[in-house]
Amino acid sequence: MEKRRVFRELLEEVDKALASGMGREEKLKKVCELLASKVPYYDWVGFYLVDEAKGDELVLGPFVGEPTEHVRIPFGRGVCGRAAVEKKTIVVQDVSKESNYLACSPKVKSEIVVPIFKEGKFVGELDIDSHEHAPFTDEDRVFLEKIVDMVASKVL
Ligand code: SME
């Protein structure tokens, strides 16, 4: 797969979807669908959003892929919880080597979690699981950070 071309096209498609008349949940779901359908190694794509009432817990939002038991994740737990504390993108190229990890499916080999900030405030994350070992490069990180910035400014 030619990442540069696929990511460029996806940025345009996501931009279009976010400008459409769809509601917030539909737009988030559409972003998941676009990413999962165009990038062969993005096997589970979903949003976790900060539970505003609690302030220290993530709640599962729209996603594409197998259902997960992890619908609520306290800050600090698992890769998602760690990204919420560290407030930076976390790449785990081999989940079998990660001690602070919440398993969703035995098929998952690697994961990237990208925090979302709205006007500087941490509001949620984009979480992607892959069935491939170590597929994520800096290109993925830069691309996904652009995607979440668009989501933050146009949807959240
Ligand atoms: N693996 C994540 C949990 C969420 S699932 O990947 C959908 C974690 O360790 O936080």
Side-chain angles (χ1 to χ4, degrees), residues 120-151:
K121 187 179 166 217
F122 173 69
V123 291
E125 305 175 341
L126 175 63
D127 178 20
I128 300 181
D129 288 342
S130 177
H131 298 169
E132 288 184 26
H133 179 256
F136 303 114
T137 63
D138 223 38
E139 271 187 280
D140 292 78
R141 183 184 58 75
V142 170
F143 162 66
L144 293 170
E145 287 175 353
K146 281 186 194 154
I147 293 284
V148 300
D149 280 349
M150 286 162 66
V151 167

Side-chain angles (χ1 to χ4, degrees), residues 44 48 68 70 73 77-81 101-102 104 111 127 129:
W44 190 96
Y48 280 96
T68 172
H70 303 298
I73 301 178
R77 285 208 65 208
V79 185
C80 292
Y101 173 67
L102 303 169
C104 286
E111 176 164 9
D127 178 20
D129 288 342

